Amino acid sequence: MRRPTGRAAREPGGAVVTGAGRGLGRRIAGLLVARGHRVLLTDRDGDSARAAAEELGGAATALAVDVRDQGQVEAARDAALDLAGRLDVWVNNAGVLVTGPAWEQDEATRRLMIEVNACGTINGTVAAIDAMRGNGGGHVVNVVSLAGLTAVAGEAVYAASKHAALGFSLSTMADLRVAGVRDIRISCVCPDGIWTPMLHDKLRDPRSALSFSGRLLTPEEVADAVRRVLDRPRPVTSIPRWRGALSRLADAAPTAGLAAIPLMAARGRRVQRKILAGGGPRAGK
Ligand SMILES: NC(=O)c1ccc[n+]([C@@H]2O[C@H](COP(=O)([O-])OP(=O)(O)OC[C@H]3O[C@@H](n4cnc5c(N)ncnc54)[C@H](O)[C@@H]3O)[C@@H](O)[C@H]2O)c1
């Protein structure tokens, strides 16, 4: 790994966003450019990353990176260091959701979600720590989900992958503290359903009803929560906070929590139908 030196300490350094070709990642990349970072937008779909970077202008660059491949993730780390000399922020945002009970999914589908959502987050976090440690520190932001906090019918493997991402992030934060590393932070953001391409094609899918059971968030709202976390790192931020509290309550009392799930799913299906009937993504508010 190349470690360029000699940069002014307070100048914003580089930032990497995974899965930045569309949806939330694209929005977060825009936020980081606006904050003065040189941003490397990465995505498995290199064309979408390049289009997003072009839209964001000169401070943004693109690289095709599949987060499942550690070598590609390390190449992103080195490219970001070459761009800016130092890495301030790394956002592990890339994610995939395939709905349905685990027993209806083949092994490749289950493996895909675990490898992208959990292993991809691990690869990115390790690469970021490698670049930040002894080089000015930095901040890793991991995009998890409320599905990382509690049970989600119709999204069991996705929830497993997000629980893994959260457990890994908090445990790695603990490892950093035990190792005496104080200048690297890891913050997890756990949003409710967001109106992005991930959900656009799921309006007719009753198995994804729980993603629609709250008020659908906009990517802008979630990017704004990421902005607050960048200003004030926090181990876990639920968006909205009350749904996070409800998820944790359901997890603390799983019998009651599981009993409430059919009611939540019924509400989610009502919201899906309202959006389909022309109510727009805010139909659940
Ligand atoms: N949309 C929601 O309701 C919701 C809710 C909570 C959390 N999240 C999380 O937010 C993050 C962003 O999701 P989104 O809603 O913008 O989804 P999206 O599907 O619109 O975007 C995901 C991006 O990740 C990229 N990607 C997928 N697999 C990849 C891989 N192997 N390597 C690199 N890039 C890959 C895709 O090409 C895409 O650009 C994800 O981690 C998702 O799990 C989404």
Side-chain angles (χ1 to χ4, degrees):
M1 177 186 47
R2 294 174 288 270
R3 275 188 199 284
T5 53
R7 302 275 302 190
R10 311 253 39 110
E11 190 183 328
V16 174
V17 183
T18 70
R22 68 181 202 188
L24 178 61
R26 191 170 181 146
R27 191 64 57 176
I28 293 172
L31 164 77
L32 291 167
V33 167
R35 288 171 71 95
H37 296 282
R38 297 291 306 272
V39 182
L40 182 65
L41 287 85
T42 72
D43 203 290
R44 179 186 52 178
D45 176 356
D47 287 344
S48 71
R50 275 184 288 279
E54 267 168 34
E55 212 173 84
L56 290 174
T61 316
L63 190 67
V65 174
D66 188 325
V67 295
R68 294 171 289 179
D69 182 325
Q70 190 184 321
Q72 292 185 31
V73 173
E74 287 172 352
R77 173 201 65 196
D78 291 346
L81 283 172
D82 280 348
L83 277 176
R86 203 182 69 242
L87 196 52
D88 282 348
V89 181
W90 184 299
V91 183
N92 289 302
N93 164 81
V96 285
L97 164 65
V98 184
T99 57
W103 66 80
E104 286 180 8
Q105 295 175 334
D106 60 19
E107 204 237 343
T109 302
R110 298 194 298 264
R111 186 175 284 278
L112 174 73
M113 281 185 275
I114 299 292
E115 287 187 352
V116 177
N117 302 345
C119 301
T121 297
I122 293 172
N123 286 340
T125 303
V126 169
I129 290 172
D130 195 27
M132 292 167 179
R133 199 168 176 183
N135 196 24
H139 195 172
V140 179
V141 178
N142 289 337
V143 179
V144 185
S145 166
L146 289 185
L149 298 176
T150 191
V152 186
E155 298 180 7
V157 178
Y158 178 78
S161 70
K162 293 294 187 177
H163 274 72
L166 186 69
F168 164 78
S169 304
L170 293 174
S171 303
T172 301
M173 191 72 185
D175 277 335
L176 287 167
R177 293 297 166 266
V178 169
V181 177
R182 304 230 153 253
D183 60 358
I184 300 179
R185 309 294 192 100
I186 302 178
S187 297
C188 294
V189 294
C190 297
D192 203 346
I194 317 166
W195 190 238
T196 64
M198 184 174 270
L199 291 189
H200 290 172
D201 63 351
K202 299 206 167 52
L203 285 172
R204 288 187 166 81
D205 177 6
R207 297 168 306 185
S208 65
L210 282 176
S211 288
F212 292 85
S213 63
R215 178 182 66 77
L216 275 182
L217 301 165
T218 63
E220 292 77 9
E221 282 176 285
V222 181
D224 202 46
V226 170
R227 181 188 54 73
R228 289 195 297 274
V229 158
L230 288 171
D231 289 337
R232 195 156 170 236
R234 288 164 59 97
V236 183
T237 298
S238 304
I239 315 159
R241 203 177 287 186
W242 73 270
R243 287 270 286 182
L246 201 64
S247 300
R248 289 202 182 272
L249 202 64
D251 217 35
T255 306
L258 288 168
I261 281 182
L263 299 173
M264 305 280 286
R267 178 182 149 70
R269 282 197 296 277
R270 279 197 301 278
V271 173
Q272 286 173 308
R273 282 195 293 270
K274 275 191 196 168
I275 299 174
L276 277 171
R282 307 303 261 183
K285 92 179 160 182

